[in-house]
Amino acid sequence: MAIQGAEAADQSNSKGSYYLAKCVLKSSVVLHAVYGHIRSSATLDVVFGKETALELVILTEDGIVESVCEQPVFGIIKDLKVLPWNEHYRGSQPQTHGKDLLVLLSDSGKLSFLTFCIELHRFLAVAHIHLSQ
């Protein structure tokens, strides 16, 4: 919405200044919800997939949903699943040991495998596969 400045409104024959007011809100619509051992093998976490963001939440003992981390992603999330930890089929990467991986498919055709890094307090990519090629 453009609003003409007060000084410019007084002068009808000259060009005035205009101000643009814009509200930027994060999407609150949850399109996907998955649960698994995202932070560690001892915790059971919930991840919400919003249109362009991932949100890691925990359920408190009182039943309240508490946000741990919300991170934007590049593109639009088309699907979100959990790949459970399996010692026989997973390499010995220390950042993923005992934790489930998030598998994310974006609108660009990229399949991403993500883990949660507690030290950086964010999701990190373990691997990307381009399915559109």
Side-chain angles (χ1 to χ4, degrees), residues 40-117:
S40 73
S41 60
T43 63
L44 191 58
D45 306 304
V46 176
V47 177
F48 293 147
K50 300 178 180 181
E51 188 176 14
T52 59
L54 291 173
E55 183 177 13
L56 176 66
V57 298
I58 57 171
L59 296 173
T60 64
E61 292 178 2
D62 300 334
I64 299 171
V65 176
E66 190 174 296
S67 181
V68 175
C69 169
E70 185 168 359
Q71 178 177 336
V73 296
F74 182 74
I76 297 171
I77 299 171
K78 291 296 183 185
D79 204 1
L80 181 66
K81 300 291 181 193
V82 171
L83 180 63
W85 166 255
N86 188 328
E87 191 172 330
H88 300 291
Y89 296 109
R90 188 89 49 89
S92 59
Q93 296 176 334
Q95 72 266 23
T96 63
H97 186 76
K99 298 192 295 186
D100 298 337
L101 291 179
L102 284 177
V103 182
L104 184 140
L105 179 64
S106 69
D107 64 339
S108 63
K110 187 183 283 188
L111 185 68
S112 301
F113 296 86
L114 307 172
T115 187
F116 188 77
C117 179

Side-chain angles (χ1 to χ4, degrees), residues 12-63:
S12 59
N13 59 0
S14 66
K15 290 186 176 182
S17 58
Y18 289 87
Y19 302 97
L20 180 65
K22 183 177 179 181
C23 294
V24 180
L25 300 174
K26 292 187 226 176
S27 174
S28 61
V29 177
V30 175
L31 301 173
H32 308 279
V34 296
Y35 66 93
H37 301 284
I38 307 299
R39 291 181 297 160
S40 73
S41 60
T43 63
L44 191 58
D45 306 304
V46 176
V47 177
F48 293 147
K50 300 178 180 181
E51 188 176 14
T52 59
L54 291 173
E55 183 177 13
L56 176 66
V57 298
I58 57 171
L59 296 173
T60 64
E61 292 178 2
D62 300 334

